[in-house]
Amino acid sequence: MDTARAFRDVLLPTLAKGPLIRRRKVVGLAERAHLDDKAVRCMQALRRKYGAGPLVLPIPFRPQALLLSAEDVRMVLEYSPEPFAAASREKQSALDHFEPENVLASRGANRAQRRALNEATLETSCERHSMSALFARVVDEEMELISAAAIRNGTLDWNIFFTGWMCMVRRIMLGDAARDDTALTDLLEKLRYRANYGFLRRQAPRQRQQLLDQLAQYVSRAAPESLAGQMARHCTDPAQMPHHQLPQYLFAFDPGAMATFRTLAMLSLDRRSAELARDEITSSAGELAPRLEFLRACLLEALRLWPTTPAILRETTGPVKWAQGQLDRGTQVIVFTPFLHRDDETLADAHRFEPSRWLNSIAKPELGLVPFSHGPVQCPAAHFVPMIASLALRSLMSGLDVAVLEAERLPLARLPGTFDNFTLKFTVTRRLDEPTTVA
């Protein structure tokens, strides 16, 4: 019965919302029905009943282990990919739909090579990418176009924001020539919808090959000011499959947009945070690509409140002993991030917007707060995405004053477990008293 409850309240809603691309209607339903709040309560009840050790759900042919403590999360992520492989069977079946040779679906030597290429391209260990000044100009140009469109429309909604955001993303990823290549990202979106079903949905090999061929052309042209150009420069072996890595970059900036839009909403509602953000924006006037530490913290806090990766999956490559027992080889380990990020039984102010908890940090594994995962398999873009998002927030807040419509959806005293970004709207007015962001 408890396994059925966990499936009903935790696993099924997560799958229904869409693990690879969100289903808009289901996200709206999840907010109205408070599904993520129910999932957190379910996980807390399981921990009270069974203790904090990994809880194995006796699902035939494919045991699943739910992690119920921050310490176990930290350990599993720090000991990835061995004995906790990132390329679980479920993940591989999903990624096979559009990027079968991506690092996330790879193991062994191939994984090591491809990981190295991704880290070199994204400069994973650096808070600011070496091309950040070039990217900052792209961000400012595209955010100004978004601001102008919002002023003309009278409101800033998701469609205006996301359309402009993806123009920015394609320029950063693939070069200026890709700015208006909506056909490419539309094709990727279709394949991601198929990937939501994993092995339950037949693959579309022609469409997948069309996507990969187009990306291979962008790599071969190697626009020097783009990440594709950076990847081409760092690729030392065809087995690294650079064109299979790029779909994940485009994919990752979809949830990046969700987090940025939600952050803008919180900064329009939380007066204290808005004042600190504007002070940082003012002090950074004239700098092309400042660190923007507080805006980054705001983004990370929005990712904590509403994780865009609701489940981090690992698969045991051999038997793993715990104090409470043993996980057999082939067990899928599930880090359900909404539970860990909103566990008000262990985390102070779990339901409030508190950006200060993230200053000088991108993960707090000791608390189970891992918006970009953690350890050797941490997202290679853990610094890059916050850098771009904080620059976008600086540009938007420099050009616009925004106010959330239907602000009652976001009570600051206790924020909801699910927040539908697709129906989020702002009233907008042109801001005239802020300094320009570009020298």
Side-chain angles (χ1 to χ4, degrees), residues 115 118 122 124 249 252-253 372 378-387:
R115 176 76 189 191
N118 281 282
L122 293 162
T124 300
Y249 291 23
F253 266 95
F372 286 94
Q378 182 180 52
C379 174
H383 286 299
F384 191 86
V385 170
M387 179 192 77

Side-chain angles (χ1 to χ4, degrees), residues 21-41:
I21 187 169
R22 296 294 183 270
R23 299 180 178 98
R24 295 190 179 196
K25 291 183 179 180
V26 180
V27 173
L29 172 63
E31 179 182 330
R32 295 190 297 274
H34 309 287
L35 294 186
D36 283 302
D37 296 295
K38 291 178 181 177
V40 170
R41 291 195 296 271

